[in-house]
Amino acid sequence: MDNLLLSVQNLKVYFRGDEKVSRAVDGVSFDVRRGETACIVGESGCGKTVSALTILGLIPSPPGEIESGKVLFEGENLLDFTEEDLQKVRGNRIAMVFQEPLTCLNPVFTIGDQIGEAINVHEQVEPAALRERCVQILKDVGIPSPEDRLKDYPHQLSGGQRQRVMIAMALACQPDLIIADEPTTALDVTVQAQILSLFRSLQKTDSMSVLYITHDLGVVANIADRVYVMYAGVIAEQGNTSQIFNSPKHPYTQGLLASLPTRSKRGKTLHSIPGIVPDPAYKPDGCPFNPRCAFATDTCRTRFPEMRDYGEGHLSRCPVLFRQDQKEG
Amino acid sequence: MADMENEIQNVTLRVENLKKHFPVRRGFFQRIGGWVKAVDGVDFEIEQGKTLGLVGESGCGKSTIARVILKLLEPDHGKIFYRGQDISNLSEKDVKPLRKEMQIIFQDPFGSLNPRMTVGQSIEEGLRTLDFSRGDRKERLNELLEMVGISSNNSDRYPHEFSGGQRQRIGVARALSVEPSLIICDEPVSALDVSIQAQIINLLKGLQDRLGLSYLFISHDLNVVGYLSDKVAVMYLGHIMEFASAGDLFENPLHPYTLALLSAIPSTEPGRKMEMKFLPGEVPSPQDPPPGCKFQGRCPIVEAQCREEEIAFYEAGEGHIVRCWKVVGR
Ligand SMILES: Nc1ncnc2c1ncn2[C@@H]1O[C@H](COP(=O)(O)OP(=O)(O)OP(=O)(O)O)[C@@H](O)[C@H]1O
Ligand code: SF4
Ligand SMILES: [Mg+2]
């Protein structure tokens, strides 16, 4: 399939501490195709950020170790790249946007300096043209009066504007892939709506690929083409947006969707998944979801489940429901 | 007099034209250079056993209201009535017994629990104010822990040994320890994982049904507010823009800000993908707001009048109150 841009295969990233080994990412595979938005959704600590950082070679080692796997970007394994080669990929071909833009922007340089720098790292542009480019990029991400904003320092901008600047910097080199890790989590909902719509429009006009990481299922439903539901370091279920939201097949996905409060569920007790997310250093044997799962069998407690194929790209890591569905279907 | 009786019985809390302005000091001499009007004339009431949801974006004044009601901050103006009793100007001594009536749980349960005290000690602190004998205290402690779904043999453990959801349960147990009738919940589930949120929401709802608690439920999450609330107040820059029963607010929203908030909630029905309408700009600084409607800067239907005249409340239907010139004109 030649429209495959990124393919992460069986990635394992562990953190070794004095007493314990955190299996943060424990055999994760996912693909991002050209021009699509793939979402990784999961709860805190399930390994979303670690997966994303690994793609760009940004995992601190020690304590982090890549145990196994491949990160194929246009067929080449980024895990084999030297730091020098990786730097060419970062920013140029793959750019990243984080949750808290203030920590990623340099407080003592103006917005204009920083966007200009992002462009200049990868290509030489003369000052007048560079300024033009910066203004155009800020305009593209919807910053009002961009000429004036170039002279501003990060702290002079609001949270939403800073996030737009981060996206502008990510766009500066026209990357093939943007990885966005919870880019709207710290923003108000009306501002979140603006940023989500910005992502959608970028994608339509520039046919860029986006790997979007979030814990918010509502956000996923609104921007994803393809969804990967992550739990305790593994992908529990994957499929297109309608498969995941309209006919979820994994007990975890089903439970999450049922537990979302809405106006229409008023007066009824919310479905709730019992227990807590496991510590990645002490994951249960077998299916990592088994202590919280209403369908768990003895096998679930001992054997790590394989992905089951529902067809048309819809896969779920639960053999028990798969068997049930086969019988009924 | 009948009204007063009625209020004592049925209205847990009522606030009238509540204002809290913070001075902004500037320069070497720290002169007052302006005012942040965090809460600027707010009215509402919470009925006995019911939930009032208070929604709005960051900085709109939600938490300031909570602190003023709890008498942690002095209001600049306005009155607060607890079961019909004016508590706006009570002395420190008279406030004390009230603290047992009104409790608060926060977004970050970790920050509000003393890390050096076992959870048992934290909860017992409240019980000590209630004249329980030592034996009764132990019994009540165990009862409280069981009530929030924590096994009572955990009472000797420290906060850091618990997960976020468990800590929030402990925060709830501590609030309940003094047998309050009103609990202010300030973003109590915002920091929790999705799969844990539902557990805490069910817990709060169950306790309300069982103990007849009244809640002021503060949140930026309209889904949670819609699920839990009987009435909803929508705040923007220190003002309540719309106040209605939850049913009216969700089915017949009138204020343009409420409409924008509702359409900005990402829905989990994938079909709705493109319908999201959105507001331009962001919440402006509450410092020295412009005259007229506080929403004028972002309002899609703003008119000249909105920039000139402050609008009072307009009753659009029974108990459905809106602060918008355009709604009045309709
Ligand atoms: N530098 C590190 N050293 C040790 N452990 C780490 C390090 N970075 C991450 N981890 C661990 O790896 C696990 C996965 O973390 P990760 O940040 O990927 O989660 P996440 O899914 O992004 O969560 P969140 O939603 O909270 O951002 C966690 O248990 C975390 O504590
Ligand atoms: S494999 Fe077993 S434990 Fe895991 S989700 Fe399926 S039924 Fe539950
Ligand atoms: Mg993360």
Side-chain angles (χ1 to χ4, degrees):
Chain A
M1 260 208 257
D2 61 347
N3 67 349
L4 195 61
L5 182 64
L6 177 80
S7 177
V8 171
Q9 299 179 353
N10 194 29
L11 186 68
K12 292 189 180 175
V13 185
Y14 294 176
F15 291 93
R16 279 176 210 284
D18 291 339
E19 287 146 27
K20 57 181 191 177
V21 181
S22 250
R23 292 180 291 155
V25 173
D26 212 5
V28 157
S29 306
F30 57 88
D31 295 338
V32 185
R33 280 164 241 278
R34 277 181 210 285
E36 84 173 359
T37 296
C39 274
I40 298 183
V41 60
E43 296 177 276
S44 182
C46 74
K48 305 182 294 293
T49 300
V50 170
S51 304
L53 293 177
T54 308
I55 296 171
L56 290 169
L58 293 174
I59 290 294
S61 169
E65 269 171 50
I66 295 169
E67 294 288 318
S68 76
K70 286 182 189 159
V71 176
L72 300 178
F73 182 66
E74 294 194 313
E76 286 184 294
N77 189 359
L78 297 183
L79 298 182
D80 294 336
F81 277 34
T82 61
E83 176 55 29
E84 201 183 327
D85 288 336
L86 269 178
Q87 258 176 24
K88 284 182 204 140
V89 175
R90 286 200 286 262
N92 226 347
R93 313 286 318 275
I94 306 178
M96 190 144 176
V97 177
F98 296 92
Q99 173 171 348
E100 193 17 89
L102 204 50
T103 57
C104 310
L105 291 168
N106 193 324
V108 301
F109 290 109
T110 64
I111 300 304
D113 285 342
Q114 298 190 53
I115 301 177
E117 173 74 13
I119 298 174
N120 260 335
V121 167
H122 304 282
E123 55 180 308
Q124 281 308 311
V125 185
E126 46 177 290
L130 189 62
R131 209 188 122 79
E132 282 290 286
R133 276 268 287 274
C134 292
V135 169
Q136 186 55 48
I137 291 170
L138 287 181
K139 221 180 253 164
D140 289 346
V141 297
I143 294 217
S145 38
E147 288 86 0
D148 299 337
R149 293 292 81 74
L150 288 181
K151 295 184 291 260
D152 283 347
Y153 290 89
H155 73 269
Q156 292 173 285
L157 304 180
S158 67
Q161 284 190 336
R162 282 198 288 262
Q163 198 53 283
R164 286 177 196 270
V165 168
M166 279 307 296
I167 296 169
M169 285 172 63
L171 290 173
C173 304
Q174 297 163 317
D176 302 280
L177 173 67
I178 289 199
I179 301 176
D181 189 0
E182 307 261 12
T184 64
T185 305
L187 303 176
D188 279 328
V189 318
T190 58
V191 182
Q192 165 169 287
Q194 298 164 9
I195 300 286
L196 292 181
S197 130
L198 173 63
F199 268 103
R200 285 202 299 256
S201 70
L202 289 175
Q203 220 191 359
K204 257 192 258 139
T205 47
D206 300 344
S207 73
M208 219 170 24
S209 305
V210 178
L211 177 61
Y212 196 104
I213 294 171
T214 179
H215 67 280
D216 187 331
L217 286 157
V219 168
V220 175
N222 274 272
I223 64 161
D225 298 307
R226 190 172 307 280
V227 184
Y228 294 90
V229 182
M230 214 168 155
Y231 186 80
V234 298
I235 305 289
E237 180 166 5
Q238 68 192 64
N240 65 33
T241 314
S242 125
Q243 289 163 344
I244 297 295
F245 287 91
N246 298 336
S247 54
K249 299 297 183 193
H250 196 281
Y252 176 60
T253 319
Q254 293 175 349
L256 275 187
L257 287 170
S259 74
L260 292 178
T262 59
R263 177 80 198 136
S264 54
K265 290 183 193 162
R266 199 180 147 67
K268 295 174 215 135
T269 303
L270 286 179
H271 172 84
S272 78
I273 304 176
I276 58 169
V277 179
D279 179 330
Y282 307 101
K283 279 192 261 190
D285 288 335
C287 173
F289 191 57
N290 85 69
R292 309 178 72 188
C293 182
F295 304 96
T297 64
D298 284 344
T299 321
C300 302
R301 289 182 197 102
T302 51
R303 257 185 70 181
F304 183 74
E306 295 298 317
M307 272 293 191
R308 299 298 149 119
D309 193 344
Y310 283 83
E312 292 171 30
H314 191 181
L315 300 152
S316 169
R317 201 178 287 285
C318 175
V320 175
L321 287 200
F322 186 73
R323 236 173 289 133
Q324 260 183 36
D325 287 331
Q326 296 297 84
K327 262 192 220 138
E328 283 163 17
Chain B
M1 231 26 228
D3 261 10
M4 183 72 184
E5 273 308 305
N6 180 42
E7 172 152 348
I8 294 171
Q9 301 253 315
N10 299 323
V11 181
T12 309
L13 188 86
R14 184 158 63 83
V15 304
E16 251 179 43
N17 200 15
L18 203 62
K19 292 188 186 177
K20 180 71 201 173
H21 297 177
F22 297 104
V24 184
R25 294 178 191 278
R26 291 201 183 104
F28 184 73
F29 294 105
Q30 291 287 290
R31 282 210 187 88
I32 294 177
W35 292 92
V36 168
K37 300 189 172 172
V39 178
D40 200 21
V42 157
D43 302 79
F44 60 73
E45 59 177 45
I46 305 173
E47 287 162 74
Q48 159 73 36
K50 297 281 165 64
T51 301
L52 171 66
L54 188 59
V55 291
E57 296 177 281
S58 59
C60 71
K62 305 185 293 287
S63 297
T64 306
I65 290 187
R67 278 148 68 206
V68 171
I69 291 172
L70 289 168
K71 308 287 289 173
L72 301 171
L73 279 177
E74 276 302 309
D76 295 323
H77 187 88
K79 286 197 165 18
I80 307 166
F81 297 90
Y82 178 76
R83 295 190 175 286
Q85 179 202 356
D86 183 351
I87 60 165
S88 330
N89 298 306
L90 291 185
S91 67
E92 189 54 36
K93 182 171 115 302
D94 295 328
V95 164
K96 259 216 169 113
L98 266 178
R99 300 237 190 269
K100 289 179 203 154
E101 303 290 327
M102 300 193 258
Q103 286 285 305
I104 184 163
I105 51 183
F106 296 100
Q107 168 168 3
D108 174 13
F110 202 44
S112 64
L113 290 169
N114 185 336
R116 278 181 294 276
M117 279 197 202
T118 66
V119 304
Q121 287 166 339
S122 277
I123 297 170
E124 265 190 81
E125 229 186 359
L127 295 178
R128 217 165 284 139
T129 63
L130 282 186
D131 301 331
F132 275 109
S133 73
R134 186 175 280 234
D136 287 347
R137 275 210 308 261
K138 207 68 255 140
E139 198 174 305
R140 177 80 180 135
L141 167 66
N142 292 344
E143 193 183 299
L144 283 164
L145 284 172
E146 301 288 350
M147 209 186 289
V148 298
I150 302 257
S151 152
S152 56
N153 47 32
N154 282 325
S155 65
D156 292 334
R157 291 168 64 194
Y158 290 86
H160 73 262
E161 298 175 65
F162 293 92
S163 71
Q166 288 174 317
R167 287 199 290 256
Q168 197 54 286
R169 289 173 189 272
I170 292 161
V172 174
R174 194 184 54 172
L176 289 176
S177 68
V178 294
E179 301 176 1
S181 55
L182 171 70
I183 298 186
I184 299 180
C185 309
D186 192 354
E187 303 271 7
V189 297
S190 308
L192 301 176
D193 271 325
V194 190
S195 76
I196 307 300
Q197 275 193 11
Q199 296 175 4
I200 299 297
I201 292 170
N202 283 341
L203 172 67
L204 290 173
K205 191 79 195 91
L207 290 170
Q208 178 169 53
D209 294 345
R210 226 165 99 196
L211 306 172
L213 298 166
S214 310
Y215 289 144
L216 175 61
F217 195 92
I218 299 175
S219 178
H220 66 278
D221 185 336
L222 275 160
N223 283 321
V224 179
V225 166
Y227 174 77
L228 275 176
S229 308
D230 299 289
K231 299 226 165 110
V232 181
V234 178
M235 266 190 97
Y236 191 81
L237 278 191
H239 285 231
I240 290 178
M241 293 301 186
E242 186 160 2
F243 185 95
S245 72
D248 281 347
L249 194 103
F250 279 81
E251 276 121 52
N252 182 26
L254 293 174
H255 198 284
Y257 180 58
T258 312
L259 287 165
L261 271 184
L262 286 171
S263 85
I265 318 177
S267 154
T268 42
E269 300 151 38
R272 281 199 31 187
K273 212 173 185 172
M274 282 306 161
E275 278 174 39
M276 211 188 255
K277 288 185 283 268
F278 53 85
L279 283 182
E282 289 171 53
V283 182
S285 152
Q287 191 182 326
D288 306 319
C293 175
K294 299 302 162 244
F295 188 55
Q296 57 179 273
R298 299 176 79 192
C299 183
I301 55 171
V302 63
E303 276 183 358
Q305 188 179 21
C306 315
R307 296 210 169 85
E308 289 150 15
E309 266 176 276
E310 186 105 19
I311 179 174
F313 281 121
Y314 170 71
E315 189 148 6
E318 204 193 315
H320 192 157
I321 291 168
V322 195
R323 199 176 212 143
C324 171
W325 283 118
K326 296 294 285 283
V327 176
V328 177
R330 250 180 242 161

